[in-house]
């Protein structure tokens, strides 16, 4: 019996491997619009797809980032300045894309732009931090998608939304996790609503990677600043020892972040060019072999595994 079961499982993965190797035709005629291309995943993906021969439309937040990207790529790649928190900027970028794709429509939309708040406890953050993160990670993603959607629908193309493994398992960073849970929900709804239009939606769920968003010195500096600005009664509740332990824990975690960003951009590329893209891509060994299995455990057991090494606050009961 076990032999038959193993054979069926093997056959399933063999068939999936074969289906996923099939690539869409005429890649050189397809346009892909990517947000957040100044650095990190977006920058690498833009260069990767450019080498592949696709027509990349790269959105950067700054002119400096756009200029550096153009210097590293072919003449096919074009850049535009985009702030996903501003409606007028999104509208202008959409018109810019429309002028380039014409009647062909937009084959791929990659919502990659994102920010991270200080890596600290939820109670230490000001409400402004919550608003800023949601504006970029969720509201901005939704507005860009809705603005570009008619162009994607015309091409019967792809939408690739960059979430996080923290959109599956809320481990730390309450507002960031919340924004990424929103991305997961929005993507699921969009996938079901657009299935009859031939549009495919994929979600990328990276684990821990070293990008500008997880820069060691910047991240540690923001934690210190957040702690310094916390009201006295909150500092007394947690205590300096708790902060020191939390600070060192974050530092060690950031040092262990993977530097192989291709693990993420390869998933993005597959979602754009495969004839049969996956609904979700778990990028990184920590994502695939720790967090995904953890997400299927009973909540009480997952809570124990995730928090057993956490320090105790000064006023813990």
């Amino acid at each position: 019996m076990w032999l038959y079961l193993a054979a069926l499982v093997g056959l399933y993965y063999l068939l999936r491997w074969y289906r996923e190797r099939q690539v869409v035709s005429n890649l050189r005629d397809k346009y892909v619009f990517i947000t957040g291309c100044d650095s990190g995943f977006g920058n690498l993906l833009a260069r990767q797809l450019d080498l592949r021969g696709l027509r990349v439309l790269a959105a950067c937040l700054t002119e400096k980032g756009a200029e550096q990207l153009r210097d590293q790529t072919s003449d096919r790649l074009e850049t535009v300045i985009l702030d996903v928190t501003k409606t007028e900027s999104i509208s202008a970028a959409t018109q810019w894309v429309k002028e380039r794709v014409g009647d062909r429509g937009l084959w791929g939309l990659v919502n990659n732009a994102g920010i991270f708040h200080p890596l600290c406890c939820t109670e230490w953050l000001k409400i402004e931090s919550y608003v800023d993160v949601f504006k970029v990670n969720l509201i901005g993603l939704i507005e860009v998608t809705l603005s570009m959607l008619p162009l994607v629908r015309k091409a019967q193309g792809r939408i690739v939304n960059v979430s996080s493994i923290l959109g599956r398992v809320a481990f730390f960073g309450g507002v960031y996790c919340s924004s990424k849970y929103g991305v997961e929900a929005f993507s699921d709804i969009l996938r079901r609503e657009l299935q009859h239009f031939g549009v495919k939606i994929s979600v990328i769920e990276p684990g821990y990677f070293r990008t500008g968003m997880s820069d060691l010195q910047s991240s540690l500096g923001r934690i210190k600043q957040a702690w310094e600005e916390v009201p006295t009664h909150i500092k007394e509740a947690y205590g300096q020892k708790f902060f020191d332990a939390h600070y060192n824990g974050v530092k060690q975690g950031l040092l262990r972040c993977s530097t192989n960003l291709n693990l993420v951009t390869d998933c993005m590329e597959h979602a754009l060019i495969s004839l049969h893209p996956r609904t979700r891509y778990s990028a990184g060994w920590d994502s695939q072999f720790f967090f995904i299995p953890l997400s299927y455990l009973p909540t009480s057991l997952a809570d124990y595994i995730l928090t057993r090494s956490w320090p105790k606050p000064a006023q813990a009961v």
Side-chain angles (χ1 to χ4, degrees), residues 110-312:
V110 182
N111 285 305
N112 166 74
I115 61 173
F116 207 114
H117 58 74
L119 295 164
C120 57
C121 295
T122 301
E123 197 175 6
W124 302 357
L125 293 174
K126 297 178 180 179
I127 193 63
E128 291 82 5
S129 295
Y130 287 80
V131 173
D132 290 344
V133 171
F134 271 95
K135 276 185 176 180
V136 176
N137 292 3
L138 183 57
I139 304 302
L141 180 148
I142 292 172
E143 190 169 0
V144 169
T145 300
L146 295 179
S147 186
M148 298 280 181
L149 192 51
L151 299 175
V152 178
R153 193 167 56 239
K154 181 178 289 187
Q156 296 182 8
R158 310 287 172 80
I159 297 175
V160 180
N161 291 331
V162 181
S163 177
S164 168
I165 195 56
L166 296 179
R168 291 282 293 272
V169 180
F171 179 28
F172 66 90
V175 60
Y176 182 80
C177 289
S178 299
S179 71
K180 293 304 184 180
Y181 267 72
V183 171
E184 297 273 348
F186 177 70
S187 302
D188 283 345
I189 293 167
L190 205 62
R191 184 183 66 253
R192 289 159 185 155
E193 290 180 349
L194 297 179
Q195 60 181 323
H196 297 299
F197 292 101
V199 176
K200 291 181 169 58
I201 317 294
S202 295
V203 180
I204 312 296
E205 299 173 336
Y208 297 161
F209 287 87
R210 189 168 300 167
T211 65
M213 204 162 62
S214 58
D215 176 74
L216 181 64
Q217 296 306 320
S218 175
S219 297
L220 295 179
R222 286 186 294 162
I223 293 175
K224 284 184 177 180
Q225 182 180 350
W227 177 250
E228 289 170 358
E229 295 176 354
V230 162
T232 302
H233 69 279
I234 294 180
K235 281 187 177 180
E236 291 174 350
Y238 286 88
Q240 186 63 40
K241 286 185 178 180
F242 180 95
F243 170 77
D244 292 340
H246 174 80
Y247 179 91
N248 290 328
V250 170
K251 182 178 181 179
Q252 293 305 313
L254 290 172
L255 288 171
R256 290 195 296 268
C257 287
S258 173
T259 58
N260 186 6
L261 304 190
N262 286 106
L263 293 175
V264 178
T265 57
D266 286 349
C267 292
M268 295 174 170
E269 180 180 335
H270 187 272
L272 290 166
I273 70 171
S274 174
L275 202 58
H276 304 285
R278 298 181 188 179
T279 299
R280 280 180 169 78
Y281 293 83
S282 299
W285 299 116
D286 54 348
S287 174
Q288 294 180 36
F289 296 106
F290 179 70
F291 286 105
I292 292 299
L294 189 73
S295 69
Y296 291 101
L297 294 179
T299 302
S300 58
L301 180 55
D303 286 351
Y304 171 76
I305 293 171
L306 289 171
T307 64
R308 72 183 190 279
S309 62
W310 286 10
K312 286 188 177 182

Side-chain angles (χ1 to χ4, degrees), residues 72-131:
Q72 298 174 321
T73 52
S74 74
D75 293 338
R76 286 190 310 275
L77 183 141
E78 298 181 73
T79 60
V80 66
I81 303 302
L82 172 65
D83 184 341
V84 300
T85 67
K86 296 179 178 178
T87 298
E88 60 272 20
S89 181
I90 294 172
S91 298
T94 301
Q95 182 60 34
W96 179 84
V97 171
K98 189 175 182 179
E99 291 170 359
R100 278 147 184 80
V101 304
D103 293 333
R104 283 171 292 191
L106 181 63
W107 172 255
L109 167 61
V110 182
N111 285 305
N112 166 74
I115 61 173
F116 207 114
H117 58 74
L119 295 164
C120 57
C121 295
T122 301
E123 197 175 6
W124 302 357
L125 293 174
K126 297 178 180 179
I127 193 63
E128 291 82 5
S129 295
Y130 287 80
V131 173

